[in-house]
Amino acid sequence: ELRLQLQTGARSLELQAHLEQREGQWQLQAAAQLDRQPLLTLRSALREEAAVSHWQGELELVQLADSRGLFVWLQQWQSTDQHLLDTQASLRLQANWQLALAPGASLLDVERLRGGSGTFNAVLQLQSPLLQYQALDLKLAGTLAEQQLQISVQPASDLQARRVQLAEGLRVQQLQAKLAGLALQLGGNPSLHGPLQLSVGALEQAELLPQAWQFDGQLQANAQQQRLQGALSNAAGLSLKVDTERDAQGALRLSA
């Protein structure tokens, strides 16, 4: 049994955890409260079956209406961007996993996880003034095998922002990015590829008339090169097929 209470000024953090061995498996249940409000719950089980360790679990970060208190605690162990400390944001996270760990001498050996296999799912929802009062809604599904982690973005995943400054003198209003179908591979040569749909209510730049723009295409990116292909159009009726590529030396090629 573990019961941990931390207090700093008017803020409090409380953690309760229970670990036991039952019916041939280790079971862990934990819950945390921030300022006496539910923060997260964790349920996890580890069992041995035919000389293979099976690990499954569920993690839920309760809908957190104001994330500032959480980052105040985290900065005591890890320096945190001041924007996260000053900006009120709503955050929610759900995750579950089922993994078979690779053989090893210790249950706590990280290499057993790296060499394991299995699946996981996660849902992340974020609403923040850093996104100009808009939201990030991300649904992920992943598989782990042969030290390769494959993550795919599920339907209904998108990013919305009222205003984004892309560069000096260039900003967009009402940005929406549809992310479903993107696939990320970690391990070996990391890569990101899949469909990408972008739309803005107005793109603002000194040499352009402010108006709506849309892009619908494919993204292929790894550490050596990145390529973006698709159709670019605007509210005035301009329509372009574009092909943009950046190589390992940093050279940029654009055809339209």
Side-chain angles (χ1 to χ4, degrees):
E1 293 281 353
L2 172 67
R3 183 182 178 94
L4 176 66
Q5 290 179 301
L6 301 175
Q7 191 84 26
T8 176
R11 294 191 174 278
S12 64
L13 180 65
E14 181 176 343
L15 173 66
Q16 291 181 305
H18 177 79
L19 176 67
E20 67 176 337
Q21 192 174 32
R22 178 189 296 178
E23 299 177 355
Q25 67 179 1
W26 286 100
Q27 297 181 358
L28 171 65
Q29 296 189 35
Q33 290 187 336
L34 179 66
D35 298 335
R36 299 177 180 83
Q37 297 297 321
L39 176 62
L40 64 83
T41 58
L42 169 66
R43 291 179 294 275
S44 179
L46 181 69
R47 74 180 191 278
E48 294 285 345
E49 188 176 283
V52 176
S53 297
H54 296 271
W55 181 33
Q56 66 183 46
E58 299 177 357
L59 173 68
E60 181 176 6
L61 179 67
V62 180
Q63 184 80 37
L64 191 61
D66 188 347
S67 64
R68 289 174 294 185
L70 175 61
F71 287 110
V72 165
W73 281 108
L74 293 179
Q75 73 167 344
Q76 298 181 63
W77 293 276
Q78 176 67 43
S79 59
T80 304
D81 190 308
Q82 189 63 39
H83 287 300
L84 298 177
L85 300 175
D86 295 338
T87 306
Q88 180 177 347
S90 172
L91 179 65
R92 181 169 180 260
L93 172 66
Q94 287 181 303
N96 63 76
W97 60 91
Q98 294 185 347
L99 302 173
L101 305 181
S106 170
L107 290 177
L108 301 180
D109 186 355
V110 177
E111 291 302 317
R112 298 193 66 187
L113 179 59
R114 288 171 53 88
S117 62
T119 62
F120 77 91
N121 296 276
V123 176
L124 173 65
Q125 295 174 319
L126 171 66
Q127 292 183 324
S128 170
L130 296 177
L131 299 175
Q132 293 299 313
Y133 304 101
Q134 298 296 313
L136 171 65
D137 196 341
L138 201 56
K139 299 175 177 64
L140 304 174
T143 59
L144 175 65
E146 299 178 351
Q147 297 193 359
Q148 298 282 336
L149 179 60
Q150 304 273 356
I151 302 174
S152 59
V153 182
Q154 301 299 291
S157 296
D158 59 19
L159 167 67
Q160 300 179 46
R162 178 180 296 179
R163 183 183 300 109
V164 177
Q165 191 80 29
L166 297 179
E168 185 176 353
L170 178 64
R171 70 178 183 178
V172 297
Q173 307 275 5
Q174 298 298 337
L175 168 68
Q176 182 172 18
K178 294 184 178 181
L179 308 175
L182 283 175
L184 174 65
Q185 176 179 302
L186 300 175
N189 184 19
S191 64
L192 176 66
H193 65 275
L196 181 63
Q197 293 182 339
L198 299 173
S199 65
V200 297
L203 186 148
E204 300 175 357
Q205 201 269 345
E207 302 300 326
L208 297 174
L209 294 175
Q211 60 182 303
W213 288 78
Q214 301 84 36
F215 175 81
D216 188 352
Q218 292 283 327
L219 171 67
Q220 294 178 311
N222 56 38
Q224 287 72 44
Q225 62 182 15
Q226 301 84 43
R227 188 174 188 181
L228 190 62
Q229 299 171 284
L232 178 68
S233 60
N234 68 11
L238 176 68
S239 180
L240 297 173
K241 290 184 178 180
V242 298
D243 187 348
T244 305
E245 185 174 6
R246 182 181 182 274
D247 62 24
Q249 288 72 42
L252 184 66
R253 178 185 62 82
L254 168 66
S255 62

